[in-house]
Amino acid sequence: MQAVPPGATIGILGGGQLGRMLALAAARLGYRCHIYAPEADPPAGAVAAQVTRADFTDRAALARFAASCAVVTYEFENIPVAPVAELAATVPVRPGIEALRITQDRLLEKRFCQQRGIATAPFRAVGSAAELDQAIAELGLPLVLKTRRMGYDGKGQAKIAKAEAAAAAFAALRSDELIAEGFIGFRRELSVVLARGADGRIVSWGPVQNIHRNHILWRTYAPARLDDRLRNDAERIAASLAEGLEYVGVLAVELFDCGDRLLVNEMAPRVHNSGHWTMDAAVTSQFEQHIRAICGLPLGSAERLCDAVMENLIGDEVKTWPALLAEPNAKLHLYGKAEARPGRKMGHVNRLYPLGQAPQL
């Protein structure tokens, strides 16, 4: 693959904070970014060379967007596949369409893991109330009923603890494309963020541990304190999934640590919240690495320079910015969002510690 030279324009589908941080990383390498997003004043637009505001199904707007770009990537996976596939006929799209198709559908994702010989929670496809009853009979209770697409930060899912609650849960999700997953009593949640280059080389930042509040990631501890067996298993699983997808770019794999084994929870075909710590604590951040990968550049080192704890700033927590700036070991990153709403990620702070000296969970 011929490298995309600095000075070229990178197209980014989506204008949120991930697109913003990708555009900032691209600028440091000499690239311009063109943001394509349906909303007005997207956070990424403030740091990009160009912005197109249009729906993801607007084929004429997408064609004009493609004509301006040397390569296109996406900052989130909830984008219709068909128009992106048309885009890929005229400009390289990385990661590829197959990665987008599989990772935006929880059922396809679980089946893909099965094909790779990678364990997940037991699951069943659910398209009707009768199929939900059958899933309960086969998986037992409790279980989690989820929409196959569009769910994030706890949205689009319901825990069912009693059979009599099943009908209400099915009706509340308002979809006939659902997946039922057996409930997993895990010890902790881990994730592995890695990059795979166009040449197949994989570079990983290693497993980290994630803590959630109200279904939203609150803190990430880097590194996760694991024995060598679990650490190696986590790395192997993530690499296998990236290879199976013939992936180019940064991929995140979320895992449940069940003590004696790891189960894949889900994948994200993009830079990921649990990789934000790399901006200040690694030789190469996940954002720079993604730009390197999609442009066909050599991947950078993922060596960890120090330990880190990343904390998301949700809603009004962003108002603590003066105190955060006063912390000697804190690096503050704000996303430029005008309104602090409950549950909205407004920024994050990376607290840095000497190697081996981060707080223990």
Side-chain angles (χ1 to χ4, degrees):
M1 180 181 102
Q2 186 173 3
V4 176
T9 296
I10 298 169
I12 301 176
L13 297 170
Q17 64 263 21
L18 299 180
R20 179 187 179 96
M21 289 182 276
L22 282 170
L24 289 169
R28 285 194 295 272
L29 293 176
Y31 295 100
R32 297 162 60 86
C33 284
H34 184 168
I35 303 299
Y36 188 107
E39 67 270 20
D41 299 321
V47 298
Q50 190 173 352
V51 179
T52 291
R53 183 186 182 190
D55 192 85
F56 290 119
T57 59
D58 187 333
R59 284 171 165 79
L62 282 169
R64 292 191 295 271
F65 169 74
S68 74
C69 302
V71 64
V72 170
T73 191
Y74 40 89
E75 63 126 30
F76 75 130
E77 58 270 36
N78 292 322
I79 310 172
V81 170
V84 181
E86 290 184 14
L87 198 69
T90 59
V91 63
V93 175
R94 302 178 185 128
I97 303 305
E98 188 66 359
L100 180 65
R101 184 184 72 87
I102 289 172
T103 58
Q104 70 175 212
D105 185 319
R106 288 187 171 104
L107 180 62
L108 297 183
E109 191 173 78
K110 291 284 194 298
R111 288 173 175 169
F112 178 75
C113 289
Q114 280 187 333
Q115 293 166 8
R116 300 294 294 176
I118 294 169
T120 69
F123 64 93
R124 297 291 185 274
V126 172
S128 66
E131 287 182 350
L132 176 56
D133 290 340
Q134 183 63 28
I136 291 172
E138 295 174 1
L139 299 177
L141 292 174
L143 60 72
V144 182
L145 186 65
K146 302 178 180 180
T147 56
R148 285 173 53 179
R149 297 179 178 84
M150 300 299 288
Y152 63 95
D153 288 347
K155 299 177 177 66
Q157 62 181 268
K159 182 179 176 181
I160 301 175
K162 298 180 179 180
E164 52 267 31
F170 180 84
L173 292 179
R174 303 176 67 180
S175 173
D176 59 1
E177 289 192 331
L178 304 173
I179 180 172
E181 299 179 10
F183 192 77
I184 301 297
F186 57 91
R187 296 197 311 178
R188 52 188 169 177
E189 183 178 302
L190 308 172
S191 61
V192 174
V193 179
L194 60 75
R196 184 174 184 270
D199 60 357
R201 180 180 177 231
I202 290 176
V203 175
S204 170
W205 288 272
V208 297
Q209 183 171 350
N210 300 318
I211 307 296
H212 289 76
R213 292 189 313 186
N214 301 318
H215 302 288
I216 300 173
L217 181 63
W218 175 44
R219 285 181 175 168
T220 292
Y221 290 76
R225 307 300 182 188
L226 301 174
D227 61 39
D228 288 344
R229 180 184 65 83
L230 280 180
R231 181 177 297 105
N232 292 338
D233 281 350
E235 298 269 27
R236 174 188 56 79
I237 288 168
S240 175
L241 293 171
E243 289 167 350
L245 291 168
E246 298 183 349
Y247 200 85
V248 177
V250 167
L251 173 72
V253 179
E254 297 181 5
L255 302 151
F256 292 141
D257 174 8
C258 300
D260 59 339
R261 60 177 181 153
L262 298 174
L263 302 180
V264 169
N265 178 28
E266 61 185 27
M267 296 184 283
R270 51 174 170 79
V271 288
H272 192 257
N273 201 165
S274 69
H276 288 356
W277 66 272
T278 64
M279 299 173 74
D280 301 302
V283 172
T284 310
S285 77
Q286 65 166 342
F287 300 99
E288 179 182 332
Q289 201 80 293
H290 188 77
I291 298 300
R292 285 173 175 248
I294 66 171
C295 290
L297 307 180
L299 297 183
S301 168
E303 180 184 356
R304 185 167 37 84
L305 300 173
C306 57
D307 289 359
V309 178
M310 187 285 302
E311 182 175 318
N312 274 323
L313 302 176
I314 310 297
D316 284 342
E317 290 174 352
V318 72
K319 296 177 181 178
T320 64
W321 64 265
L324 294 172
L325 286 174
E327 292 185 30
N329 67 326
K331 301 287 283 186
L332 180 64
H333 300 268
L334 300 179
Y335 303 153
K337 297 179 179 180
E339 182 183 1
R341 298 192 298 266
R344 193 182 196 194
K345 295 172 184 173
M346 301 298 295
H348 70 271
V349 59
N350 289 329
R351 293 184 173 91
L352 308 180
Y353 304 88
L355 291 170
Q357 297 184 31
Q360 298 290 305
L361 290 174

